[in-house]
Amino acid sequence: MKLNVKKTIEENIITVDISVVELGTTSSVMVEELNLLHDFPRNIKYSDIDFRSNMKMDANGDPSVTSDSADETSVEEVTISNLINREYAVDENLSINMSFDVAKIPESELTTVFDTVENLARLARNCSR
């Protein structure tokens, strides 16, 4: 399965759209993968997502995962939890849309590494890959 991930920023709303571009893998053709998706249905639930990783701001000013140890000056451990629960069937029609309103991110969430609400919103956007 090949996915398209489209990220946009408009009027302080960061949006990530994920959709299926084509089916098939290096070891199966489209029809085989389609049959697998229908014979063994799976879902993605936000409540099942447990993301924890060390992250830093890269040279372009975007958050990125790093193997460096968290030091709370340039690298910080990031945990994403308590998302509003949604559920999506994983099939040929998969379409996921996530939006993050920069204005609704509380300043109490700011850290040394992610020191603006815009950086926190970019962090949420990049973690949704």
Side-chain angles (χ1 to χ4, degrees):
M1 180 181 291
K2 183 177 179 183
L3 299 175
N4 179 45
V5 179
K6 180 182 175 189
K7 301 173 184 178
T8 58
I9 302 173
E10 290 183 20
E11 298 181 18
N12 288 330
I13 305 291
I14 295 178
T15 303
V16 179
D17 291 306
I18 302 170
S19 59
V20 175
V21 175
E22 65 182 286
L23 295 177
T25 67
T26 57
S27 60
S28 66
V29 295
M30 180 194 72
V31 173
E32 291 171 330
E33 185 172 20
L34 184 61
N35 288 337
L36 281 172
L37 291 171
H38 288 223
D39 292 343
F40 303 98
R42 303 198 77 180
N43 291 334
I44 295 172
K45 286 185 187 179
Y46 284 1
S47 63
D48 292 341
I49 295 173
D50 182 22
F51 178 87
R52 181 183 308 262
S53 185
N54 289 346
M55 299 194 73
K56 65 180 180 179
M57 299 298 283
D58 67 15
N60 297 323
D62 287 321
S64 63
V65 174
T66 181
S67 59
D68 298 345
S69 298
D71 61 13
E72 297 184 14
T73 58
S74 62
V75 177
E76 188 158 337
E77 182 180 76
V78 173
T79 302
I80 295 179
S81 59
N82 299 324
L83 295 171
I84 294 173
N85 197 28
R86 292 189 180 155
E87 188 170 351
Y88 298 92
V90 178
D91 61 17
E92 71 277 14
N93 300 312
L94 177 68
S95 179
I96 299 174
N97 176 283
M98 298 177 72
S99 294
F100 305 93
D101 186 342
V102 172
K104 292 184 179 179
I105 297 174
E107 289 195 13
S108 61
E109 296 288 321
L110 300 180
T111 65
T112 303
V113 178
F114 303 102
D115 57 353
T116 67
V117 290
E118 291 82 4
N119 285 346
L120 283 176
R122 277 195 214 105
L123 171 68
R125 177 196 72 187
N126 284 8
C127 290
S128 63
R129 293 181 203 194

